[in-house]
């Protein structure tokens, strides 16, 4: 026989929480205090030792996934996540996780049931990355259940392999074409800022004149407008991007005393749909295949990498929280690997002398 003793407080309620004969018992204390929970635990243990049932004293607290997810959203998600992240998690819970796991108690969710979930969503044609995003929400919810005393362990949750996606970016010639179209000056200016700063669309929409520092030639990225809400930049990190002389000159010509840099006639923020339409019209007039605003961000990063800008600097300019995100562009700079290996042939390098066939090649050439 094994027995351990514990009481714990879970969201303002005291519980007797212990193991007896390798089985866990958790019961809410009738008296909501530590002392009351300890007394209640002693009573439960005495009942178990004498072989009596404890079912009439208190019922096991087991909530369904649906019930717990509602509290988790109100308590954790609303408190810790930005508005756009809240909307994303709410959609994932409502449309995907609750329909599948909703009737299960948390401890009934197993690795097997999670694999069934993955298979059922794959059958609908969902992209592996989409399914992984849903699994990330499930994993975070279940970790919260452990922290709140609802679960002891969580099942293994394995993400799907995601095939590498092709990054679409503009060539220098295409950039020149876009920047050379002055038909709609407003959208041309916004495209130039996007190409020269790599800012996300939401960051462009939230850019204010107070963020443009002409004295230091910097654009400070301090906020974004996502789904109509003003919020912090992604990963909650502000950053400063140096302005090239041409960008500095463009913004100086556009400058206003205050307010949004890009706005509608009534001063309200530009909507993503309006921005998309403006960019696509520009592409159509210049004969360039349609590209989204994030494609301009890819272009900014790709052009920097191809011009041998260190990856760490590109990461800082893009505001990536991890260098792993930035390394998606590493294949655009194969010359850096050649340069790295070439140092072995320098006089003071590791080998110090030529080991190749340079003389043979000269003879063959002659």
């Amino acid at each position: 026989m094994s027995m351990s003793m514990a009481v714990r407080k879970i969201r303002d309620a005291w519980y007797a929480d212990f193991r007896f004969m390798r089985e866990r018992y958790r019961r809410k204390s009738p008296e909501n205090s530590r002392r009351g929970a300890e007394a209640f635990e002693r009573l439960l243990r005495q009942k178990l030792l004498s072989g009596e049932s404890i079912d009439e004293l208190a019922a096991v607290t087991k909530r369904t996934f649906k019930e717990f997810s509602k509290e988790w959203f109100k308590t954790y998600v609303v408190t810790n996540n930005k508005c756009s992240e809240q909307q994303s998690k709410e959609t994932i819970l409502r449309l995907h996780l609750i329909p599948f796991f909703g009737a299960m108690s948390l401890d009934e969710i197993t690795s097997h049931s999670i694999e069934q979930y993955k298979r059922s969503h794959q059958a609908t044609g969902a992209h592996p990355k989409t399914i992984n995003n849903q699994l990330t929400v499930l994993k975070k919810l279940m970790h919260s259940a452990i922290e709140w005393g609802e679960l002891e362990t969580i099942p293994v949750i394995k993400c799907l392999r995601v095939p590498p996606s092709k990054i679409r970016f503009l060539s220098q010639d295409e950039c020149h074409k876009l920047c050379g179209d002055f038909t709609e000056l407003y959208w041309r200016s916004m495209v130039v800022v996007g190409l020269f700063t790599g800012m996300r669309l939401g960051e462009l929409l939230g850019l204010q004149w107070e963020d443009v520092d002409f004295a230091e030639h910097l654009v400070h990225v301090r906020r974004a407008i996502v789904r109509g809400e003003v919020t912090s930049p992604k990963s909650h990190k502000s950053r400063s991007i140096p302005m090239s002389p041409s960008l500095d000159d463009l913004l100086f010509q556009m400058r206003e005393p205050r307010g949004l840099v890009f706005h509608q006639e009534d001063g309200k923020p530009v909507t993503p749909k309006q921005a998309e339409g403006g960019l696509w019209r520009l592409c159509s007039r210049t004969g360039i295949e349609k590209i989204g605003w994030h494609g301009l961000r890819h272009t900014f990063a790709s052009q920097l990498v191809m011009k041998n800008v260190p990856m760490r600097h590109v990461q800082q300019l893009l505001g990536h929280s991890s260098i792993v995100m930035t390394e998606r562009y590493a294949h655009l700079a194969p010359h850096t690997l050649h340069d790295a290996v070439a140092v072995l042939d320098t006089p003071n390098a590791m080998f110090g002398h030529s080991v190749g066939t340079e003389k043979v090649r000269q003879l063959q050439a002659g």
Side-chain angles (χ1 to χ4, degrees):
M1 180 183 70
S2 64
M3 182 170 56
S4 60
M5 184 174 73
V7 296
R8 65 174 62 194
K9 191 175 185 180
I10 304 174
R11 293 183 306 284
D12 300 323
W14 280 96
Y15 288 77
D17 191 349
F18 63 97
R19 288 187 177 278
F20 179 84
M21 298 295 288
R22 298 186 179 181
E23 184 174 349
R24 185 180 183 181
Y25 294 87
R26 180 188 295 156
R27 302 293 189 271
K28 188 174 182 179
S29 173
E31 182 183 331
N32 194 26
S33 67
R34 172 183 283 277
R35 183 168 295 181
E38 291 172 345
F40 185 54
E41 183 189 14
R42 288 193 293 271
L43 174 62
L44 293 174
R45 289 193 290 112
Q46 289 171 2
K47 291 275 188 182
L48 291 170
L49 284 168
S50 61
E52 298 178 51
S53 172
I54 62 172
D55 291 339
E56 72 279 4
L57 293 177
V60 177
T61 304
K62 277 193 176 182
R63 289 188 290 175
T64 64
F65 178 87
K66 182 177 181 180
E67 292 168 340
F68 182 80
S69 66
K70 288 182 178 180
E71 180 178 348
W72 178 71
F73 186 86
K74 289 189 296 184
T75 305
Y76 176 83
V77 177
V78 173
T79 303
N80 296 285
N81 292 165
K82 297 189 295 184
C83 183
S84 58
E85 295 168 341
Q86 293 176 31
Q87 293 174 356
S88 175
K89 285 184 172 65
E90 189 278 330
T91 300
I92 288 174
L93 286 168
R94 175 170 47 85
L95 297 182
H96 303 286
L97 298 180
I98 290 177
F100 192 92
F101 298 109
M104 300 181 187
S105 63
L106 292 175
D107 58 6
E108 289 175 336
I109 299 175
T110 63
S111 294
H112 181 246
S113 62
I114 293 169
E115 291 301 317
Q116 290 177 319
Y117 174 85
K118 289 158 62 176
R119 183 177 63 186
S120 68
H121 278 63
Q122 281 181 308
T124 66
H127 192 277
K129 188 175 187 304
T130 300
I131 298 174
N132 288 346
N133 290 341
Q134 298 162 10
L135 294 176
T136 298
V137 175
L138 175 63
K139 185 182 292 187
K140 182 58 193 174
L141 180 148
M142 299 194 78
H143 273 295
S144 295
I146 289 180
E147 294 169 0
W148 296 356
E150 296 280 346
L151 276 177
E152 285 190 303
T153 61
I154 64 172
V156 175
I157 301 176
K158 295 181 179 178
C159 288
L160 295 168
R161 290 187 177 183
V162 179
S165 57
K166 186 177 180 181
I167 298 175
R168 163 96 164 99
F169 63 92
L170 300 174
S171 66
Q172 280 195 325
D173 182 58
E174 289 174 318
C175 292
H176 292 153
K177 286 181 179 179
L178 280 184
C179 297
D181 185 286
F182 292 82
T183 307
E184 293 181 275
L185 286 176
Y186 182 88
W187 296 116
R188 185 257 181 189
S189 298
M190 190 167 170
V191 164
V192 170
V193 177
L195 285 172
F196 278 73
T197 63
M199 293 168 66
R200 302 175 179 92
L201 176 58
E203 295 167 347
L204 287 169
L205 300 183
L207 184 65
Q208 297 191 11
W209 284 110
E210 66 184 50
D211 304 322
V212 182
D213 185 345
F214 291 110
E216 297 296 330
H217 310 290
L218 294 171
V219 172
H220 301 291
V221 183
R222 295 167 172 150
R223 67 189 66 78
I225 296 179
V226 181
R227 299 181 185 180
E229 298 285 340
V230 179
T231 183
S232 59
K234 200 169 182 178
S235 301
H236 304 279
K237 289 185 177 180
S238 299
R239 66 188 188 280
S240 297
I241 304 171
M243 290 189 285
S244 68
S246 58
L247 178 60
D248 193 307
D249 185 55
L250 171 68
L251 288 173
F252 191 79
Q253 294 177 37
M254 293 171 54
R255 71 190 186 283
E256 297 177 11
R258 65 184 65 83
L260 294 168
V261 174
F262 302 106
H263 56 79
Q264 302 183 55
E265 290 185 4
D266 59 3
K268 292 181 179 178
V270 173
T271 67
K273 188 173 182 179
Q274 289 171 329
E276 181 181 67
L279 176 56
W280 285 1
R281 288 193 301 275
L282 192 54
C283 289
S284 178
R285 285 194 301 269
T286 54
I288 295 172
E289 181 185 349
K290 281 184 180 180
I291 192 170
W293 285 94
H294 211 73
L296 304 188
R297 179 173 164 83
H298 287 321
T299 300
F300 170 80
S302 301
Q303 295 294 339
L304 290 178
V305 171
M306 288 189 290
K307 294 183 185 302
N308 208 25
V309 174
M311 203 66 68
R312 184 66 67 179
H313 293 173
V314 178
Q315 177 195 2
Q316 293 172 344
L317 292 169
L318 291 174
H320 283 162
S321 57
S322 168
I323 192 67
V324 174
M325 293 289 293
T326 317
E327 286 174 346
R328 292 180 297 172
Y329 305 100
H331 68 284
L332 299 172
H335 57 278
T336 59
L337 300 180
H338 288 288
D339 293 342
V341 176
V343 303
L344 299 177
D345 272 342
T346 59
N348 295 320
M350 181 164 36
F351 302 137
H353 61 274
S354 174
V355 295
T357 56
E358 182 180 351
K359 186 175 294 186
V360 174
R361 288 184 179 178
Q362 290 175 350
L363 290 172
Q364 289 175 343

